[in-house]
Every structure is written in structure tokens, then in C-alpha cells.
Amino acid sequence: MENYNESRNEAWREELRKSKTAKERNNIARVEMPQLDPAYRITCNEEVNQGINAEQAVLEATRCLDCPNPQCVTGCPVGINIPKFIKNIERGEFAQAAATLKETSSLPAVCGRVCPQEKQCESKCIRLKMNQPAVAIGYLERFAADWQRNNTEQEVPPMKPANGIKVAVIGSGPSGLSFAGDMAKQGFDVTVFEALHEIGGVLKYGIPEFRLPNSIVDYEIEGLRKMGVKFEKDVLVGKTITYDDLHEQGFKGVFVGSGAGFPRFMDIPGENLIGVMSSNEYLTRINLMSAGRGGDTPVMHGETIAVIGGGNTAMDSTRTALRMGAKRVILVYRRSEEEMPARREEVGHAKEEGVEFMTLHNPIEYIGDEKGHVKAMRVQRMELGEPDASGRRSPVPVEGAIEEIPVDIVIVAVGVSPNQLVPRSIEGLDVSRRNTIVVNEETMQSNIGDLYAGGDIVRGGATVILAMGDGRRAAQNMARQLLAE
């Protein structure tokens, strides 16, 4: 992001005010995010979305109508003061915009990249009621966070005096990091315990760098370190240390954000063949363990790769497979494209990069060769029936419509289950049939008074921003409880 002369910006805005009528200003087109060319980007791991520049950001910020009752804020799980940070951008006060984001979000540069704003804050924008595109809140959030990173020293947000109360965080994914940041602001002594050798949880192992560069995650984590948050890696709570050990070490509260690391499969013939793997394994080996870049944990390569599923993880897997050298990548999804839970942007990027979409199809069997390696998949053509409990129309098999497709590798991305290690290691903890921790949804407190939880370990599956919202809510309520004791 280039440096921006604020006096030039103010002069430009003044000219905008003079030259544009209210009607003309109201019809300013939504900014478009520059992207790398598809033919180039599949050859590398560079970030696809390139960010908007300062002039684009200021112009987009003028599209905000400064509603008296801004509904966009109600659509944000962490409660960012969206009008305030956007108006700071409109005035050219980019540092103040970034500071506003940091008041409530520990990871604004991350959220500006991976959060589904179109389903949250932007879905509440009043411009949609005017049959116009919503203000590009996500683009502006990314701009402000990136501007701060590239133009200023990282500053610590306002902090309350240290109160000497120790709290532990299990897991360094988005819910844990959000909780840690808010508790540190309240003066608590916070330690985050991570089972892996890198801090960041799903932000590091689950999201490819072409969507979320590791340098961005590391920058946000360094900001938490500057706030006093401590991190301990390679600690498996429930094995290397226990919940009781944490109490003996003086921790007065525990937040569990251990995520959902257990992959789901479809329980169909051939799933145990060599070459059939979960998206968790595939993405973790590549994103976290440098498979394909000289790392010690290689991953299989193939010319024809099938990815099963229709969510963001499925899109990440297809696009990663292309970057790993696959000649043909097929996305197999049992519903239509309209029912896909993946972000529209990710679907569009996958198509641009050459992923083949085989919608309304479902695998029913994987076929192996004499060495036990997958060589083909049998898929059943589907049609849409009545809506299911989620409101989406249920896929129904078309009788006799089965075909066989040669494949070298199959990546299954049909969902994940919570990591059971922590819940099972804590005696008396209330756990659901899905192995999620049962909490009060308003406070995020479990039936064990000093233990709170959020993110995938509670929801079974959540977006980054929903997990962060859980962390914030848990921090608010745990802080209130511990300070009252």
C-alpha cells in the first residue's frame, strides 16, 4: 500500500463535494478489488486479492450514507463501529480508522480477507434496499489494517492496569486469539496453549496463503504479544498437561477454543484406499508443513484430483491442488451451485482458475488398482427435492444415472467434527452428542464455572468471525465473573 498525502486527499475530497450533486454521489459505483491474473496465480502462492489503494478506499467510503441507525453493526459478530471507521477513511484519517477496528477486533487484517461480509455486515447495508451494491466494508477493513501495518509502528490499544489474575486459553485459532486480546485489554495475565508448532490454528493450517498470507497472521499475533499475551507451543492440553495442572499453575479461568480438527468422511466403499484423504490432512500438510516446498511431510501429487464438497474448504482444496501441479481438478457437489455454502468470491476464483464443477453429483464408491491406490470414482447424478432442515432443497438420486470417472487423488471436504481430547479430559464437563462443549449461549460459560468455550468446539463448525465473536463474549463474561470474586 502506497503512502498517501493527506493534504492531497483532503483537497480531492473537497473537489468531490463541489463537483458532485447528492444524486451523483449516491450513484458512485462500488469499488472493484484488483486481482492477480488467473493464469499467473495458479503458478504460485501469492495472494490473489491485491487490496484497494487509498484513493479507491476514500471514494468507497463516501458511499456510506451514515445511517442514523446503522444496521451494519448489528451484522458484525464482534461489534465493530463500522460507520466510525469508514468515516475516518473518508476523512483520510487512516490511522484512526485502524485504531477504531482494534477497539473490538483483534484480527482486522485477517477478517478483512476471509470473513463473509456479504452474509453479515454488508447484508445489512441500506444500499441493498435501494437496489444498489452494499458498501464494501470488508475491502475497507482490509485497507485500514494494511495501511497501519505498512505505514506505522504497531501500537498497543488502550489497556487497563494489570490485575494479576491468570487465565489460560486452549487453542490459538480465531476464538482463542480474540478472547486473549480482550482479556489482555482488561488487565488479565493471559497464556495461550497451542498443540501444534505454529500459532494461529485454522488461520495457519486451514486457509491457504493465496487467501490469507501467514505474514498477516503473524503480524496480528505479534500485536497480541505486545499486549502481554504469552504463547506456548507444542502443548497438548489433556495429554501433556491437564485441566487440573492449569489450576495448580494458578490459572483462575480457562477458555477452550480447540477447534474442530477431526475430519468427516462419507462412509462409502473405497474410502480407505491410498490417495483418498481429508481436506484437513491435505491442507495442513501443504499450509503448515511445507509439503511440496521441501518440507519433511510430503503430500501425494496427481494429474486428476477430485474434491468432494461445496464449502470454502472445498474451494481452498481445489485451488491448492491446481497450484500443486494437478492438470485437472473436479469439484463434486451433491446440490446445485446455488446451494453451495462457499463464498461467491471463492466460487468465482475457482472457476477462473480452471476448476471443473460437477454439481448435482455425489460419489458412491471409490475404485482401487491392484496396489490399493484409488484409480476411479463412481458418482451418482442427483436432482433437488424438498427443502431439508437447513432450508436447502435435499438432493435425491436419479435412478440409474451413475458414471465412473478416472482420478488419481480424492480430497474429502464434507465437514469436520470437534477435537474431543479436551472435553473428554475434563471430568464432569457437559458435552453434547456431537462432542461439542455445551455452554450458555449468552455467556459462553460451561457447566463448570471457571471454564468457558467458543468457536468450533461449541458450534461444530463456524466462520472465523463467528468464532471471534464467541471469544469476545466469553471474555466479557469471564472478566466480569473473575473481577467480582
Side-chain angles (χ1 to χ4, degrees):
M1 193 69 63
E2 79 272 20
N3 288 317
Y4 193 73
N5 185 306
E6 292 195 11
S7 62
R8 175 181 177 277
N9 172 46
E10 181 56 36
W12 180 81
R13 284 191 64 254
E14 183 62 30
E15 185 64 25
L16 180 69
R17 283 194 292 267
K18 292 178 180 178
S19 63
K20 298 283 186 183
T21 66
K23 183 176 180 180
E24 288 171 330
R25 283 169 57 87
N26 197 43
N27 291 326
I28 295 172
R30 176 179 162 122
V31 68
E32 293 187 8
M33 174 76 75
Q35 301 171 5
L36 293 179
D37 179 78
Y40 168 73
R41 70 196 193 212
I42 64 172
T43 67
C44 63
N45 222 28
E46 292 180 26
E47 188 174 11
V48 170
N49 285 338
Q50 294 289 286
I52 58 177
N53 62 31
E55 190 169 72
Q56 288 174 311
V58 172
L59 184 59
E60 181 63 25
T62 66
R63 297 186 66 239
C64 176
L65 300 178
D66 203 16
C67 306
N69 183 24
Q71 292 302 298
C72 55
V73 178
T74 69
C76 177
V78 297
I80 290 172
N81 189 334
I82 294 171
K84 180 180 177 182
F85 102 79
I86 289 179
K87 290 304 172 182
N88 277 327
I89 291 176
E90 186 181 351
R91 291 189 293 269
E93 297 170 349
F94 303 148
Q96 290 89 332
T100 299
L101 291 170
K102 282 288 190 179
E103 288 173 2
T104 52
S105 175
S106 298
L107 310 169
V110 170
C111 293
R113 286 169 164 81
V114 303
C115 287
Q117 291 94 3
E118 68 279 2
K119 296 178 181 178
Q120 295 171 328
C121 54
E122 292 181 14
S123 74
K124 305 288 186 179
C125 181
I126 195 172
R127 280 192 174 272
L128 294 176
K129 296 183 178 180
M130 302 162 61
N131 294 317
Q132 297 175 1
V135 174
I137 299 170
Y139 292 178
L140 295 174
E141 180 179 20
R142 169 179 169 158
F143 168 80
D146 285 356
W147 187 91
Q148 181 189 54
R149 188 179 72 258
N150 292 321
N151 293 278
T152 68
E153 291 293 326
Q154 191 169 26
E155 296 181 0
V156 173
M159 308 274 290
K160 292 186 177 179
N163 56 38
I165 303 174
K166 295 174 63 176
V167 295
V169 183
I170 302 173
S172 66
S175 63
L177 296 178
S178 180
F179 174 88
D182 276 22
M183 291 299 277
K185 289 177 188 176
Q186 294 293 320
F188 290 88
D189 182 349
V190 184
T191 301
V192 178
F193 297 93
E194 169 56 49
L196 298 175
H197 62 285
E198 289 275 356
I199 302 298
V202 70
L203 304 177
K204 279 283 186 74
Y205 70 75
I207 303 178
E209 286 204 85
F210 56 77
R211 275 217 296 142
L212 178 61
N214 285 342
S215 60
I216 300 296
V217 181
D218 290 338
Y219 177 84
E220 303 282 41
I221 291 169
E222 184 57 31
L224 293 172
R225 283 196 173 98
K226 287 187 175 183
M227 293 166 60
V229 177
K230 297 182 283 292
F231 294 92
E232 294 193 18
K233 297 179 287 188
D234 302 310
V235 178
L236 203 58
V237 177
K239 287 290 185 182
T240 56
I241 64 171
T242 67
Y243 171 72
D244 290 336
D245 291 335
L246 294 175
H247 283 283
E248 291 177 7
Q249 294 174 23
F251 291 99
K252 302 300 182 183
V254 176
F255 176 79
V256 182
S258 52
F262 285 5
R264 293 180 193 160
F265 286 89
M266 299 174 62
D267 195 23
I268 62 176
E271 282 185 328
N272 290 327
L273 289 169
I274 300 168
V276 179
M277 69 185 82
S278 70
S279 56
N280 289 50
E281 177 184 356
Y282 186 68
L283 293 174
T284 299
R285 283 177 178 269
I286 294 168
N287 296 340
L288 194 65
M289 301 176 182
S290 303
R293 302 192 301 275
D296 295 329
T297 55
V299 70
M300 282 185 246
H301 295 259
E303 290 199 356
T304 301
I305 296 180
V307 177
I308 317 301
N312 288 327
T313 301
M315 299 303 154
D316 287 343
S317 299
T318 61
R319 300 173 67 199
T320 297
L322 288 170
R323 286 159 175 78
M324 294 294 287
K327 303 300 183 186
R328 184 188 185 195
V329 178
I330 308 166
L331 181 85
V332 183
Y333 182 58
R334 63 181 184 152
R335 289 183 166 97
S336 73
E337 186 176 319
E338 290 183 1
E339 281 79 32
M340 281 185 177
R343 297 185 70 184
R344 295 299 95 190
E345 179 180 71
E346 301 308 317
V347 172
H349 284 175
K351 286 185 172 182
E352 290 171 359
E353 293 170 6
V355 175
E356 299 177 30
F357 278 55
M358 183 176 276
T359 55
L360 287 171
H361 283 80
N362 203 36
I364 58 174
E365 182 182 4
Y366 304 121
I367 302 168
D369 61 18
E370 64 279 0
K371 295 182 179 179
H373 195 290
V374 65
K375 68 174 185 178
M377 64 177 178
R378 299 181 72 221
V379 294
Q380 166 77 62
R381 187 152 60 87
M382 313 293 283
E383 61 184 3
L384 293 179
E386 295 301 315
D388 63 11
S390 70
R392 294 184 296 174
R393 293 173 65 190
S394 300
V396 179
V398 176
E399 187 175 354
I402 297 173
E403 61 181 304
E404 187 173 305
I405 301 172
V407 293
D408 302 313
I409 293 173
V410 175
I411 301 166
V412 182
V414 296
V416 290
S417 298
N419 190 324
Q420 302 173 30
L421 178 61
V422 175
R424 287 184 174 180
S425 71
I426 302 174
E427 186 176 353
L429 180 62
D430 192 2
V431 178
S432 74
R433 289 183 300 173
R434 297 185 301 140
N435 294 306
T436 57
I437 296 177
V438 177
V439 298
N440 179 312
E441 293 183 6
E442 293 184 2
T443 65
M444 309 309 293
Q445 185 180 31
S446 74
N447 66 309
I448 297 177
D450 67 350
L451 190 146
Y452 292 67
D456 287 352
I457 193 63
V458 168
R459 296 176 177 269
T463 62
V464 167
I465 193 66
L466 285 175
M468 289 178 62
D470 289 348
R472 288 208 75 213
R473 195 155 60 253
Q476 179 183 20
N477 288 288
M478 183 186 286
R480 185 182 298 119
Q481 175 193 354
L482 292 178
L483 291 174
E485 291 179 352

